[in-house]
Amino acid sequence: MFDARLDLLQTLTLSAVVYFVGIQLRQRIAWIDRLNIPAAVVGGLVFTALAMLARDRLVNIQLDTTAQPVLSVAFFTSIGMGASLALLRRGGIHVAIFLAFATAFCFVQNFIGIGIARAFGESPLLGVMAGSVTLVGGPATGMAFAPVFETAGLAGAGVLALAAATMGIVFGGLTGSPAGTFLIKRKGLRSTVVSPAEMRAELDTPEPALVVEVEQEDSPLIRHMVVLALAMGIGSVVSRWIGSLGITLPAYIGAMLVASVLRNVDDKTGFFKIDQRAMEFIGNLALNIFLTVALMDLKLWQLADVALPLIVIIVAQVLVVVLAALTVSFVIMGRDYDSAVMASGFIGFVLGTTANAVANMRALVARFGPAPRAFLVVPLVGAFFIDFTNAIIITFFVNWLS
C-alpha cells in the first residue's frame, strides 16, 4: 500500500479521463442516460467508489483541488449572465408565476429538511443540504456550497451533496412523466396543437450551432471569456465586501450578481454583445471539470452515520414535490394540458436538473401532443432564473442556522 499525491496538472488529467469514462458509461447504460444523470457524476462516483475500496489496502490517492474555487465561480458567473430581465419579460406572466412558485418552494424544501433532520437529532444544515441546495440546485450547487456547509459545521457535506443530488435526479426522472400522465388522463386534457409537423418541430428542433473562430484573437468566444473574467474579478471585490458585513456566502455570489448586472446593461446597450450560448459553453466546461474533481475527492465512508435521516428526508421531499406538482403547480399554471406537462417538468428540475425536466416533458409530448407554453416556461425558469434565486435563499439559511 502506498500514498499517491497528485499535483494540479495530474489531477486535471485524471479528471479528464474520469469524465470521459462517465460519458462512455452514460452512452452504454440506457437507464443512466434515460435518467439524465450527468456524465461527471457517473464518472466521479465510479472513481470515488473504487478509491474507497482501495483505501488503506492498495493505494491512498490525494488530489490537488486548488482549481476548484475558480471553476466553481466561473460556472455560477455564467449562470448570472443568464439572469436577463428582458428575457423574463419576454416569457410573460407564466414565466413570472412559475419562477415565483419554484422560488417559494425552495423555502418549503428547506423547512421540510430542517424539520426531519431535527427529529433525528441531526444538524438542521443537513436538512438544507438535502433541500433546495441539492434538489433544486442539483449536484453543481451542492458541491459548490459544500465548503460553506463544512465551515458552518456540517461534516461530510460534499458526500451528502452527492448522495442527495443523485437520489433527487433518479426520483425526478422516475416520477415526473407518470405524474403528468396521471393529470392528463384524469382531467381528460388534450393538446391544442395537433399538427404532426408542429409536433416534430417541438421534439426535433436542433440548437443553433456555436461557431468558434479559432484563428481570431478577437473571436466572440475570447470576448465572452474576458467578460466572464471581468464579472469574476469585480465579483470577488463584492463578495469580500459582503463578507466584511458578517454574512456567510459562497465565493461565487458576488460574481453572480455582477454578471447579472452586466447582462442587463448589455440588454439595454449591446456593449458586450453577450451570446448566452457562448456563456453556457464556457460555464459548462468549467462545471464538468469542477464536478468531476469534486466527486473524485469525496470520502464516501462519511455517509454511514447519516444515511437513514438522509433517505427519510429525500423520500419526504419526493412525496411533497409530486403532491405540489399535481395540485398547486397544475392549478396556478392554468389547469390545462400545458399545465400538466409543466407539472412533470416542475418535478424534473425541482428534484433533479433541467435536463430531467425537459426529458419528462418530451416523453409526454411524444405521446399526447405538443405543449409549446411548457417548453417556453420550464427551461427559462429551470436553466436561468431558479439557480439565481436559490443561491440567495441558501445563503439566507446558512447564515440563519450557523
Side-chain angles (χ1 to χ4, degrees), residues 67-77 140 143-145 232 250-252 286-287 290:
Q68 292 296 85
V70 176
L71 294 169
S72 172
V73 172
F75 168 66
F76 283 99
T77 304
M143 297 309 296
F145 268 95
M232 292 170 65
Y252 66 75
L287 171 64
F290 164 75

Side-chain angles (χ1 to χ4, degrees), residues 97-171:
I97 293 172
F98 199 65
L99 174 60
F101 175 55
T103 300
F105 202 80
C106 292
F107 286 95
V108 174
Q109 285 186 323
N110 290 338
F111 282 122
I112 290 172
I114 290 170
I116 296 175
R118 282 180 167 157
F120 276 93
E122 299 289 344
S123 166
L125 291 170
L126 169 63
V128 181
M129 179 59 79
S132 74
V133 179
T134 53
L135 298 182
V136 170
T141 301
M143 297 309 296
F145 268 95
V148 176
F149 277 72
E150 288 271 7
T151 302
L154 182 64
V159 182
L160 293 169
L162 168 65
T166 303
M167 285 191 282
I169 289 171
V170 171
F171 280 115

Side-chain angles (χ1 to χ4, degrees), residues 3-7 10-11 59-65 297:
D3 293 330
R5 298 176 180 271
L6 306 186
D7 62 24
Q10 292 164 343
T11 297
V59 59
N60 291 334
I61 301 174
Q62 184 172 335
L63 304 175
D64 185 336
T65 60
D297 197 43

Side-chain angles (χ1 to χ4, degrees), residues 143 146 150 156-164 298-303 310:
M143 297 309 296
E150 288 271 7
V159 182
L160 293 169
L162 168 65
L298 289 179
K299 300 170 179 62
L300 288 179
W301 55 89
Q302 295 178 343
L303 190 60
L310 179 62

Side-chain angles (χ1 to χ4, degrees), residues 90-285:
R90 270 202 307 273
I93 188 64
H94 289 101
V95 171
I97 293 172
F98 199 65
L99 174 60
F101 175 55
T103 300
F105 202 80
C106 292
F107 286 95
V108 174
Q109 285 186 323
N110 290 338
F111 282 122
I112 290 172
I114 290 170
I116 296 175
R118 282 180 167 157
F120 276 93
E122 299 289 344
S123 166
L125 291 170
L126 169 63
V128 181
M129 179 59 79
S132 74
V133 179
T134 53
L135 298 182
V136 170
T141 301
M143 297 309 296
F145 268 95
V148 176
F149 277 72
E150 288 271 7
T151 302
L154 182 64
V159 182
L160 293 169
L162 168 65
T166 303
M167 285 191 282
I169 289 171
V170 171
F171 280 115
L174 291 176
T175 59
S177 295
T181 301
F182 171 79
L183 281 174
I184 291 168
K185 290 187 173 180
R186 181 72 178 270
K187 305 291 184 181
L189 304 173
R190 297 189 178 206
S191 171
T192 56
V193 183
V194 294
S195 163
E198 290 174 293
M199 186 178 202
R200 285 194 300 273
E202 184 161 307
L203 286 171
D204 301 328
T205 301
E207 288 290 326
L210 176 63
V211 178
V212 179
E213 299 289 347
V214 295
E215 296 182 358
Q216 285 185 236
E217 286 188 349
D218 61 340
S219 71
L221 185 62
I222 296 298
R223 185 176 67 249
H224 283 76
M225 292 177 69
V226 171
V227 174
L228 197 77
L230 176 65
M232 292 170 65
I234 299 175
S236 68
V237 177
V238 174
S239 289
R240 192 176 298 116
W241 173 74
I242 296 175
S244 70
L245 302 178
I247 300 173
T248 301
L249 76 169
Y252 66 75
I253 290 293
M256 205 177 188
L257 293 172
V258 172
S260 175
V261 172
L262 293 181
R263 170 60 191 268
N264 286 283
V265 168
D266 187 64
D267 285 344
K268 291 288 187 181
T269 66
F271 181 78
F272 297 108
K273 300 181 175 64
I274 294 173
D275 181 343
Q276 189 57 38
R277 294 170 304 161
M279 285 298 179
E280 287 177 6
F281 174 80
I282 300 169
N284 286 334
L285 178 62

